[in-house]
């Protein structure tokens, strides 16, 4: 399999700039792998495809407002700082991306407030845009995090050209988000509303949760034609004992086990053993799933529509078959489905 096998023409107007008016009223394309048929529904119809005892597995990571704007000392130039991950809690050292990066060198200071209450010093270069910053803040760790939250902006993906709006703080977050640590939302989960969750519950459908803190690596373009040479960035994952048990019980009972999103699927595939059992796990994953791949846990999944040649469309192709997926994407373009983070959804059975 080559990167070019996953290319297709995606008209720019199909990239969703805004979410659907109601979470569960995005469009839903339903793919049946056995019959290779496609249906067109609304997301709230997802409940019709599941029965009592079936299981949905959600990624409960929570997005934090990771995009900050500061000014460079002396020149006052405006610099965007995108927080990637905290490296050291005690010394307030973070991995970040800076833009524009050319003039940000080791030793430079960035000021985020008029009163200089939050300042950062560049202590290392990691990549062309990556830097390591030490934040200087006079206060407790809790106060420091509160200050980051106050100054930070919802980290909408770069393809969304509009300004961040107040509704984004709520809509670029799943309703079940709990564990803060993601710089991008697990977007398949954005379609679940409280009302839909209640309807699933009433039908006797079970829920389990895992955590994968989504990093920007998810969006990194693949720059090699040979897929075996692409390296994914590592992302932190957690599965506790209780949720591992819920998942294993559903697998043992031959129920429908639905991974909500590619991040949930990567978490499951990282922690499944050779006997198809999930164990409690805390660690990092850089697992890259592309065809051919045998999936160990989930037998159906929900996902959004992904961009050409992305690692995400490759995972979907591994799950549903490349030819069927590329045909479905052609259909999606023809039917004007919305793509990417705020776009429509796909259920693969």
């Amino acid at each position: 399999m080559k990167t070019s096998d996953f290319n297709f023409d995606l008209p720019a107007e199909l990239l969703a700039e805004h979410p659907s008016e109601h979470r569960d009223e995005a469009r839903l394309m339903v793919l049946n792998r056995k019959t290779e048929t496609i249906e067109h529904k609304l997301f709230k119809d997802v409940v019709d495809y599941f029965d009592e005892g079936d299981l949905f597995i959600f990624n409960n990571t929570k997005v934090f407002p990771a995009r900050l704007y500061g000014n460079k000392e002396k020149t006052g130039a405006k610099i965007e700082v995108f927080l990637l991950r905290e490296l050291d809690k005690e010394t307030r050292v973070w991995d970040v991306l800076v833009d524009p990066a050319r003039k940000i060198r080791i030793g430079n200071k960035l000021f985020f407030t008029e009163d200089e209450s939050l300042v950062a010093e560049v202590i290392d270069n990691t990549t062309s845009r990556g830097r390591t910053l030490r934040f200087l803040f006079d206060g407790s760790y809790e106060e420091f995090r509160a200050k980051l939250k106050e100054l930070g902006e919802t980290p909408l993906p770069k393809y969304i050209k509009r300004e961040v709006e107040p509704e984004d703080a709520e809509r670029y977050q799943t309703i079940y988000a709990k564990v803060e640590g993601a710089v991008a939302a697990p977007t398949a989960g954005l379609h679940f509303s409280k009302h839909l969750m209640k309807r699933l519950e009433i039908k006797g459908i079970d829920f389990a949760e895992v955590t994968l803190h989504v990093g920007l690596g998810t969006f990194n373009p693949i720059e090699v034609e040979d897929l075996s040479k692409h390296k994914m960035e590592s992302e932190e994952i957690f599965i506790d004992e209780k949720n591992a048990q819920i998942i294993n019980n559903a697998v043992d009972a031959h129920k429908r086990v639905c991974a909500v999103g590619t991040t949930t699927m990567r978490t499951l595939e990282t922690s499944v053993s050779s006997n198809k059992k999930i164990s409690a796990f805390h660690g990092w994953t850089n697992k890259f799933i592309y065809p051919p791949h045998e999936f160990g846990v989930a037998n159906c999944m929900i996902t959004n529509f992904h961009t050409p040649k992305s690692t995400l469309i490759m995972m979907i192709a591994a799950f549903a078959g490349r030819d069927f997926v590329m045909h479905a994407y052609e259909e999606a373009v023809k039917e004007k489905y919305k793509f990417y983070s705020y776009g429509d959804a796909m259920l693969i059975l």
Side-chain angles (χ1 to χ4, degrees):
M1 283 277 166
K2 301 193 292 289
T3 302
S4 52
D5 292 334
F6 300 92
N7 200 12
F8 62 95
D9 287 326
L10 178 58
E13 68 269 17
L14 296 185
L15 289 172
E17 287 271 320
H18 290 272
S20 57
E21 192 182 344
H22 300 290
R23 284 180 186 267
D24 58 14
E25 288 186 355
R27 294 166 74 194
L28 177 70
M29 182 186 273
V30 184
L31 271 58
N32 186 311
R33 293 182 291 170
K34 206 174 280 173
T35 57
E36 293 213 344
T37 51
I38 293 173
E39 295 176 278
H40 303 287
K41 301 281 186 177
L42 289 180
F43 193 81
K44 58 187 179 186
D45 300 327
V46 78
V47 71
D48 300 335
Y49 294 88
F50 294 87
D51 295 312
E52 190 175 341
D54 288 342
L55 179 69
F56 277 80
I57 308 172
F58 299 105
N59 179 6
N60 66 11
T61 188
K62 189 173 189 178
V63 180
F64 65 92
R67 191 172 274 126
L68 300 171
Y69 294 96
N71 297 94
K72 192 181 168 190
E73 64 177 334
K74 298 194 179 106
T75 67
K78 188 179 181 185
I79 306 293
E80 178 189 302
V81 173
F82 196 101
L83 302 171
L84 290 178
R85 64 174 69 101
E86 185 175 51
L87 298 178
D88 190 302
K89 195 171 165 174
E90 300 303 313
T91 55
R92 298 173 190 175
V93 170
W94 284 70
D95 259 344
V96 304
L97 295 177
V98 291
D99 191 24
R102 286 177 295 119
K103 296 177 179 169
I104 303 298
R105 302 189 175 96
I106 293 172
N108 286 161
K109 283 203 170 83
L110 299 170
F111 294 86
F112 296 94
T113 52
E114 288 285 322
D115 62 2
E116 300 186 8
S117 59
L118 184 67
V119 181
E121 184 183 3
V122 182
I123 58 174
D124 198 7
N125 285 346
T126 50
T127 61
S128 60
R129 287 180 57 218
R131 301 289 184 272
T132 305
L133 299 187
R134 180 189 291 117
F135 282 95
L136 311 169
F137 178 79
D138 197 12
S140 68
Y141 179 73
E142 287 67 31
E143 289 166 325
F144 166 63
R145 289 304 295 247
K147 180 59 83 174
L148 289 184
K149 196 169 276 188
E150 176 200 323
L151 297 173
E153 191 178 88
T154 301
L156 292 183
K158 281 286 192 192
Y159 82 88
I160 293 179
K161 301 295 181 226
R162 63 175 173 80
E163 292 291 305
V164 172
E165 294 165 12
E167 71 153 3
D168 291 313
E170 182 219 342
R171 290 302 301 272
Y172 195 63
Q173 194 82 272
T174 63
I175 62 165
Y176 47 77
K178 285 193 187 86
V179 189
E180 195 168 82
V183 299
T187 53
L190 297 179
H191 304 292
F192 286 85
S193 62
K194 286 185 173 139
H195 181 64
L196 178 58
M197 295 289 269
K198 184 48 77 184
R199 285 176 63 213
L200 291 166
E201 220 175 283
I202 289 166
K203 203 166 178 184
I205 290 154
D206 294 324
F207 303 144
E209 293 183 356
V210 299
T211 307
L212 179 146
H213 290 318
V214 190
L216 282 187
T218 298
F219 307 121
N220 280 355
I222 297 185
E223 286 164 351
V224 289
E225 182 63 356
D226 177 354
L227 296 186
S228 65
K229 297 201 163 43
H230 178 68
K231 296 281 180 284
M232 296 284 280
E233 269 187 42
S234 291
E235 294 167 309
E236 194 172 14
I237 60 177
F238 304 82
I239 302 180
D240 64 24
E241 201 62 66
K242 179 183 135 202
N243 283 287
Q245 197 55 59
I246 293 170
I247 295 165
N248 289 334
N249 291 346
V251 172
D252 290 345
H254 304 293
K255 295 294 184 185
R256 269 200 168 148
V257 177
C258 185
V260 177
T262 55
T263 58
T264 299
M265 189 66 97
R266 281 182 67 222
T267 305
L268 297 172
E269 290 302 297
T270 297
S271 39
V272 66
S273 63
S274 54
N275 64 356
K276 306 277 170 85
K277 286 280 186 280
I278 289 285
S279 306
F281 183 78
H282 173 210
W284 294 78
T285 180
N286 61 356
K287 195 170 191 66
F288 175 26
I289 299 171
Y290 58 93
H293 178 86
E294 191 184 328
F295 290 81
V297 185
N299 49 27
C300 54
M301 77 180 290
I302 290 169
T303 185
N304 277 20
F305 287 91
H306 308 294
T307 46
K309 300 198 286 193
S310 60
T311 59
L312 306 170
I313 193 174
M314 291 167 187
M315 180 195 289
I316 304 313
F319 191 69
R322 184 217 162 252
D323 293 348
F324 185 33
V325 165
M326 297 314 282
H327 166 64
Y329 268 61
E330 256 174 60
E331 179 99 348
V333 169
K334 195 173 84 199
E335 295 291 329
K336 297 197 170 6
Y337 274 76
K338 289 292 191 184
F339 278 67
Y340 219 37
S341 305
Y342 270 155
D344 293 315
M346 180 186 272
L347 167 63
I348 306 171
L349 300 168

